[in-house]
Amino acid sequence: MSNRVIVGMSGGVDSSVTALLLQQQGYDVSGLFMKNWEDKDPNGNCPTAEDARDALAVCDRLGIALDAVNFSAEYWDRVFSYFLDEYRCGRTPNPDILCNKEIKFKAFLDYALNQGADHIATGHYARISYSHGQYRLLKARDTNKDQTYFLYTLGQAQLAKTLFPAGDITKPEIRRMATEAGFDNHAKKDSTGICFIGERHFKRFLSRYLPTQPGEIHTPAGECVGRHDGLMYYTLGQRQGLGIGGRAPARDAPDNGTYGEPWYVTGKNLTNNILQVAQGQHHPLLYSTSLIASNLHWTAGTAPVLPLYCQAKTRYRQPDQTCVITTLANGHCQVDFEQPQWAVTPGQSVVFYTGEECLGGGIIESLPSTP
């Protein structure tokens, strides 16, 4: 039996219980702590050091070895550079997805295999099944914690060498098991923020790497209602941080009953450096019936026969949306939705499902139509 597994130990409760479960199942378990960001936070704290201590405490408790490896160069080259390039182009990237693809399931997987491991394991909430010669990526039993949206770039080679024991367990059960095992991190809060970089003041962090270009904020009628700090700081559907409050419509603007309602970002005019906004959460400019996606990836290794009727998510935790996928030229596809979708954002990912199976996904490039 091939049973040597290296667990990616983040210092969090999910990866800790992952190691515990695999040990209980008879695997030869060791841990690996990945350092992927060299910088400290603005307060001088080093969350990476705290996470490393938590990971070591769990491994000591389990009696397993913990190694450490620095993937900071790989993270910068493969993830963070792309992150910055996308913001330069006025898009809103999802670094967690690329981090999984390039670091956790490439750099880490390659390292583990070179160390003689048979598998890697992480604390992701997802499941893997195997039938008829093919691996399938499935949603977690705990649908509130399912993370397949962030894992759609995994293919057959990665799924064949990966274990997700947390995918069969709910979060409350994870915490209960950690408590019973005597893990000091049993109540540690879930990590948030940019993958491996952590929680930061976003504007302050991004301004360290990209120059700010303030400009005007315009309504659909072309009225200037304020100024923005730089298009890179805003995303479609954003409400907070616009600084324009409720205001009367322009004299020649139609009365659509939205006076006094919050403003939302509806688009970005990169050529003129204008942030486009509209009043009301249900403004038509916030809805799309179609999108164009690129950088397509299919977990099966080959594209399905199209057109394909399935479900999709355009953001994490969104309920599955009925759609049809059709082909376009140059490796792009068009996705048409049964119902209009709110704040579909270029740079984010659209991920496809049939029931509990994650089929794959792609990067949202553009929105060709509105209702």
Side-chain angles (χ1 to χ4, degrees):
M1 174 183 176
S2 296
N3 67 351
R4 186 180 175 199
V5 57
I6 299 179
V7 179
M9 301 294 292
S10 67
V13 66
D14 298 325
S15 60
S16 300
V17 173
T18 291
L20 170 65
L21 288 167
L22 292 171
Q23 188 182 63
Q24 291 175 342
Q25 294 168 18
Y27 285 91
D28 176 10
V29 180
S30 60
L32 182 72
F33 182 82
M34 291 172 274
K35 183 177 181 181
N36 301 296
W37 190 254
E38 296 284 5
D39 201 7
K40 293 184 178 180
D41 69 23
N43 298 318
N45 300 319
C46 187
T48 300
E50 179 183 342
D51 290 338
R53 286 194 295 270
D54 289 341
L56 181 59
V58 168
C59 289
D60 285 346
R61 185 81 179 178
L62 294 175
I64 64 175
L66 177 68
D67 290 328
V69 67
N70 192 324
F71 289 136
S72 297
E74 290 86 347
Y75 184 85
W76 183 279
D77 292 341
R78 303 179 191 177
V79 179
F80 196 64
S81 293
Y82 170 85
F83 174 85
L84 296 179
D85 288 343
E86 287 289 275
Y87 274 109
R88 286 190 189 97
C89 296
R91 290 151 60 99
T92 305
N94 193 318
D96 288 354
I97 291 173
L98 193 60
C99 180
N100 282 330
K101 177 184 178 183
E102 296 294 341
I103 305 301
K104 295 178 183 175
F105 298 94
K106 185 173 176 61
F108 171 33
L109 179 58
D110 289 345
Y111 175 89
L113 295 179
N114 287 334
Q115 295 296 309
D118 301 298
H119 293 90
I120 63 168
T122 67
H124 284 100
Y125 286 84
R127 294 179 295 133
I128 300 170
S129 71
Y130 181 78
S131 61
H132 301 99
Q134 183 169 297
Y135 291 91
R136 300 165 62 217
L137 178 62
L138 306 178
K139 293 178 182 178
R141 298 290 186 196
D142 188 340
T143 55
N144 290 324
K145 297 296 294 182
D146 174 60
Q147 293 177 302
T148 52
Y149 179 86
F150 301 108
L151 298 168
Y152 78 85
T153 61
L154 302 190
Q156 293 295 295
Q158 291 79 27
L159 295 174
K161 295 293 183 179
T162 299
L163 302 173
F164 292 136
D168 286 307
I169 305 174
T170 65
K171 186 71 176 196
E173 289 176 306
I174 289 282
R175 292 205 182 276
R176 176 185 58 78
M177 295 179 70
T179 302
E180 292 177 352
F183 295 163
D184 292 338
N185 64 355
H186 64 89
K188 188 175 183 178
K189 70 175 185 177
D190 293 341
S191 61
T192 58
I194 303 169
C195 180
F196 284 121
I197 297 175
E199 299 179 32
R200 304 287 179 122
H201 185 285
F202 183 70
K203 281 188 176 182
R204 190 180 303 131
F205 176 76
L206 200 57
S207 67
R208 293 168 56 187
Y209 301 94
L210 297 176
T212 58
Q213 294 180 292
E216 295 182 346
I217 302 175
H218 285 194
T219 70
E223 179 190 10
C224 178
V225 292
R227 291 187 62 80
H228 64 79
D229 297 326
L231 294 180
M232 63 185 177
Y233 296 132
Y234 305 88
T235 187
L236 270 64
Q238 181 173 330
R239 170 183 169 182
Q240 302 294 330
L242 300 181
I244 51 180
R247 51 179 288 127
R251 189 171 298 176
D252 58 347
D255 181 6
N256 59 7
T258 62
Y259 173 62
E261 291 192 32
W263 293 86
Y264 292 83
V265 175
T266 61
K268 301 178 184 182
N269 182 328
L270 297 177
T271 302
N272 298 308
N273 193 30
I274 292 172
L275 186 69
Q276 299 162 328
V277 298
Q279 263 181 306
Q281 186 175 5
H282 301 295
H283 194 285
L285 290 175
L286 285 166
Y287 287 86
S288 308
T289 56
S290 301
L291 63 83
I292 304 297
S294 66
N295 297 97
L296 301 173
H297 177 88
W298 306 101
T299 59
T302 56
V305 176
L306 301 180
L308 174 66
Y309 292 85
C310 62
Q311 301 86 46
K313 297 179 189 290
T314 57
R315 58 185 177 274
Y316 181 47
R317 295 190 184 281
Q318 180 189 27
D320 290 356
Q321 304 294 305
T322 302
C323 67
V324 59
I325 309 171
T326 56
T327 55
L328 292 176
N330 302 319
H332 291 57
C333 75
Q334 177 162 325
V335 183
D336 297 302
F337 292 94
E338 185 175 79
Q339 299 293 329
Q341 302 297 302
W342 189 81
V344 177
T345 304
Q348 293 285 295
S349 290
V350 56
V351 180
F352 305 118
Y353 296 86
T354 54
E356 67 175 2
E357 181 177 3
C358 177
L359 302 175
I363 304 297
I364 299 169
E365 286 291 332
S366 60
L367 313 177
S369 67
T370 55

